[in-house]
Amino acid sequence: MNQILFGVIATMGVLSALGTVLARNLVHAGLFLVAFFFLIACQFVMLEAEFLAAVQVLVYIGAVAIILMFGIMLTRNIQGDDTTTVSRAGFIAGGLAAVGLLTVLIFGITHEEGRSGRPAWNSVTTRPAIYPASARKSESQAAAINNMGLAVGEDLLTRYIVAFEAAGILLTAALVGAIALAIQEGPVSDDPSDRVKSKQNAESLAADEAESLLTSSRA
Amino acid sequence: MNVACDWAFPLVWAQQSELDSIPWLKWIIVLAVVFFGIFPGIVAYTVWGERKVAARFQDRIGPNRVGPLGLLQPIADAIKLITKEDLVPRSADRWVHLIAPVLILVSAFLVLPVIPFGVGLAAVNPPSGLIYLIAVSSLSALGIFLAGWSSRNKYSLLGAMRAVAQLVSYEVPQVLSIVPIILWAGSLSMVTIFDKQVLYGWFLFSPPGMLAFVTLTIANIAEVNRTPFDLPEAESEIIAGYHTEYSGMRFGLFFLAEYLSVFAVSCLGTAIFLGGGTLPWPLTGEPVVTLGGGETLFAMLLLNLPLIGIFMAKVSLYIFLMFWIRATLPRLRVDQLMAFAWKFMVPLCIINIFISAVWYECVIRPSKPNYLLGWGVTLPLVVVSIIGVLALYRSSMKAEPVELTTGSRRRSVVRSVS
């Protein structure tokens, strides 16, 4: 049963991934990507990681996909339906690069060897940690499954604290950078078509920009 | 009181296992009766209730022609919607146009299985139910966006743009005002949150709890696009927003989804702040404690009928509050909407998480809860933080008169286009 389900979900996942790459309409490609994210969440459920499945839906479909759609609409023409064309040469080169990457990955993962006599990375269960392993609560796999939110939270704030904080700083920097780019300093222009707003919140700026872009392109 | 509750829980769980022994029957009942019968029925009569309430607020009578008190009006409306022609505009993106309302409706339905309507009456109880609930309710933003985009109509697209900006912004305070509950309950499971409230009293009854409840209510109203946050479908500006090009039952699906989300967010607020189906403070454990005994189907029904009754009464009150606000307040401007979310709600919710941690240390963590200390410490903190954030918000709005001009100019631009 599980094997069949996995097969079905994996097949649909590969098909929607192909759809993402091959769809000519950008919003359709985005929709296929959403389907792919959802099927990844299904795989998490198959692995009894329903917390991760919910987080996957929340982060990738609820946030990333929406931002992606916004991005498509703000950067290209507003309906996002100018079909992009790829030249045959580009198609062949891209295909070759993809096949090459796949070969390298498969070969690398299956033939991986440990450094200086140690066992291979994918055959050991312990991972390097800042926080000493002995100080952690020993928790069984079943407990982690039954309260995965707790398990993930504890690991994020103990074992993976450095990576977690680094990611947080990176995202904050990105946010500040985005706001700094979006703000236009200086006095308000007299030209009524010029939409200059100083010191406005980045999010409201994005929304306003979308609206004024739309109205000006339609007017 | 709290000690008296402890014995009740093993018995309550025993009843749950009796029904679990026939899972297929339970699932058929849940799906066929509740999801295809009761919830759409609730939606139909919520619409009737809204029309009646709105009419009373405007000194009218409301629907009164079809059946006694107009009670058959929703059925007549549904028949009308089903028999209408289902149009897809020629230039629309056909498949996306067809998928979008389904996506919104699915999102509204998926919220409901984790709500604990009574003891053992949550259709599923995932250990991270609250995250699941937030995740599936965020799907509706995508559906709204696709509906507006696929219609090839500038009003639809405008509505979709506004909707997505609003939903993404107000999702942040919505989630942040749920965080104190997770902290206090120590769990993401909706059933555990209900059980904790039977033990400790409603989570509403603490200063940070009240603040979080108010912010959650505001964010909920914004999330379901109701007045004063109905910019995405503002009739006087952009026709009907993202569902301008929809007709017949496909428009009916939007309608169903909107009122179903109203019901769902009311259930969320009731379940996590108002103690689900329990009575208020002096009788918090009731009726779970008194009726908790017995392991038969009859005892289970006896326990759950009052629970569901009280739950539904609270949900009705919450929905009535939304009707009331809709009948009272005018619509916000786009810039006011965004500034309110990001400059007022988000800072207040973040401060409130810290205050709720203080409450946790005073009341929930100690073996002997010290309510007096908790109220004495957190109430001034809550008041000071509300006043402080409000003052900051006011001064930031006053420092930017340019926002006022852009807002009014934007509206005039929209008007000139239309």
Side-chain angles (χ1 to χ4, degrees), chain B residues 2-3 200 359-374:
Chain B
N2 290 347
V3 181
Y200 293 106
W359 175 265
Y360 177 80
E361 286 299 325
C362 292
V363 174
I364 295 179
R365 195 208 281 272
S367 52
K368 192 171 172 293
N370 194 342
Y371 287 99
L372 212 61
L373 179 70

Side-chain angles (χ1 to χ4, degrees), chain B residues 210-225:
Chain B
M210 283 174 186
L211 180 56
F213 182 69
V214 171
T215 49
L216 179 77
T217 305
I218 295 174
N220 275 346
I221 295 172
E223 283 288 305
V224 296
N225 297 332

Side-chain angles (χ1 to χ4, degrees), chain A residues 80-181:
Chain A
D81 56 3
D82 54 340
T83 52
T84 49
T85 50
V86 180
S87 66
R88 186 163 290 273
F91 197 79
I92 292 171
L96 280 179
V99 171
L101 180 64
L102 186 69
T103 318
V104 168
L105 279 179
I106 290 177
F107 185 80
I109 291 170
T110 51
H111 289 72
E112 196 251 339
E113 282 178 18
R115 203 154 46 87
S116 63
R118 277 184 291 178
W121 183 81
N122 57 11
S123 67
V124 294
T125 51
T126 54
R127 299 276 178 268
I130 300 288
Y131 193 68
S134 57
R136 285 205 309 271
K137 267 187 291 180
S138 66
E139 59 211 8
S140 64
Q141 207 177 357
I145 287 173
N146 285 334
N147 205 343
M148 184 162 277
L150 190 71
V152 169
E154 278 191 352
D155 266 0
L156 268 186
L157 289 182
T158 53
R159 199 172 177 186
Y160 302 110
I161 182 72
V162 175
F164 180 70
E165 293 291 337
I169 291 170
L170 190 67
L171 288 176
T172 312
L175 198 66
V176 172
I179 293 173
L181 285 178

Side-chain angles (χ1 to χ4, degrees), chain A residues 28 50 73 79 81 146 211, chain B residues 93 127-128 145 149 152 162:
Chain A
H28 287 180
E50 39 80 44
M73 301 190 65
Q79 292 283 15
D81 56 3
N146 285 334
E211 287 212 342
Chain B
D93 195 315
S128 49
F145 177 84
W149 173 80
R152 293 292 191 280
R162 289 180 174 193

Side-chain angles (χ1 to χ4, degrees), chain A residues 27-28 31 50-51 54 61-62 66 69-70 73 79 81 146 188 192 199-201 204 207-208 210-211 214, chain B residues 93 127-128 131 135 138-139 142 145-146 149 152 157-158 161-162 164-165 334 338 342 400 402-403 409-410:
Chain A
V27 174
H28 287 180
L31 259 183
E50 39 80 44
F51 175 76
I61 300 181
I66 297 283
M69 296 282 182
F70 246 124
M73 301 190 65
Q79 292 283 15
D81 56 3
N146 285 334
V188 180
K199 288 180 190 161
Q200 199 169 8
N201 192 309
S204 86
D208 283 356
E211 287 212 342
L214 194 69
Chain B
D93 195 315
S128 49
I131 296 277
S138 70
L139 286 181
L142 190 65
F145 177 84
L146 290 176
W149 173 80
R152 293 292 191 280
L157 203 54
L158 263 175
M161 286 286 199
R162 289 180 174 193
V164 173
V334 174
M338 290 297 163
W342 290 100
E400 293 169 44
V402 68
E403 276 189 334
R409 184 174 60 78
R410 171 125 322 105

Side-chain angles (χ1 to χ4, degrees), chain B residues 34-357:
Chain B
V34 177
F35 277 78
F36 294 120
I38 295 180
F39 288 150
I42 287 175
V43 167
Y45 282 93
T46 312
V47 177
W48 174 83
E50 164 138 47
R51 292 175 66 176
K52 274 287 184 191
V53 170
R56 285 294 170 196
F57 272 107
Q58 295 160 3
D59 204 11
R60 294 183 286 118
I61 296 173
N64 64 342
R65 291 301 154 119
V66 194
L69 292 172
L71 272 174
L72 299 179
Q73 185 69 42
I75 297 167
D77 286 345
I79 292 171
K80 187 193 82 175
L81 278 177
I82 290 170
T83 52
K84 269 182 147 181
E85 190 185 357
D86 177 25
L87 284 173
V88 179
R90 190 180 296 156
S91 62
D93 195 315
R94 188 177 178 80
W95 284 105
V96 181
H97 194 76
L98 299 187
I99 288 171
V102 179
L103 196 61
I104 299 174
L105 189 65
V106 164
S107 150
F109 262 122
L110 281 181
V111 172
L112 292 166
V114 292
I115 305 281
F117 291 99
V119 174
L121 284 191
V124 285
N125 177 24
S128 49
L130 211 47
I131 296 277
Y132 162 85
L133 194 150
I134 297 163
V136 293
S137 65
S138 70
L139 286 181
S140 68
L142 190 65
I144 287 175
F145 177 84
L146 290 176
W149 173 80
S150 66
S151 297
R152 293 292 191 280
N153 177 323
K154 64 188 169 203
Y155 299 112
S156 297
L157 203 54
L158 263 175
M161 286 286 199
R162 289 180 174 193
V164 173
Q166 174 178 326
L167 292 184
V168 170
S169 303
Y170 279 87
E171 205 175 337
V172 178
Q174 191 187 27
V175 173
L176 285 180
S177 45
I178 291 175
V179 170
I181 302 299
I182 302 170
L183 178 69
W184 293 337
S187 169
L188 291 166
S189 155
M190 298 291 282
V191 173
T192 313
I193 289 171
F194 171 72
D195 291 346
K196 291 274 179 183
Q197 289 189 83
V198 175
L199 287 175
Y200 293 106
W202 300 3
F203 285 140
L204 174 71
F205 290 141
S206 64
M210 283 174 186
L211 180 56
F213 182 69
V214 171
T215 49
L216 179 77
T217 305
I218 295 174
N220 275 346
I221 295 172
E223 283 288 305
V224 296
N225 297 332
R226 296 182 63 81
T227 318
F229 302 105
D230 66 340
L231 292 106
E233 38 197 279
E235 295 90 347
S236 52
E237 297 168 19
I238 47 172
I239 312 183
Y242 53 88
H243 53 66
T244 304
E245 292 291 348
Y246 284 83
S247 64
M249 202 49 211
R250 215 163 284 285
F251 166 74
L253 290 185
F254 278 106
F255 210 63
L256 185 62
E258 183 178 334
Y259 281 88
L260 201 61
S261 338
V262 169
F263 178 67
V265 295
S266 308
C267 285
L268 171 70
T270 306
I272 67 175
F273 278 103
L274 303 181
T278 57
L279 289 169
W281 171 56
L283 301 167
T284 303
E286 309 294 339
V288 179
V289 176
T290 328
L291 299 173
E295 296 179 16
T296 58
L297 195 64
F298 174 72
M300 163 134 186
L301 281 179
L302 191 70
L303 170 64
N304 274 321
L305 286 180
L307 276 178
I308 293 177
I310 301 168
F311 193 96
M312 284 303 160
K314 288 177 190 171
V315 168
S316 316
L317 275 179
Y318 199 93
I319 294 177
F320 176 75
L321 182 73
M322 286 193 183
F323 293 166
W324 192 354
I325 292 171
R326 183 179 183 222
T328 311
L329 292 176
R331 187 182 302 136
L332 290 172
R333 264 193 342 250
V334 174
D335 59 320
Q336 287 173 331
L337 179 90
M338 290 297 163
F340 187 66
W342 290 100
K343 293 182 183 169
F344 184 70
M345 299 273 283
V346 170
L348 196 58
C349 288
I350 291 175
I351 293 172
N352 193 36
I353 290 173
F354 291 101
I355 302 176
S356 62

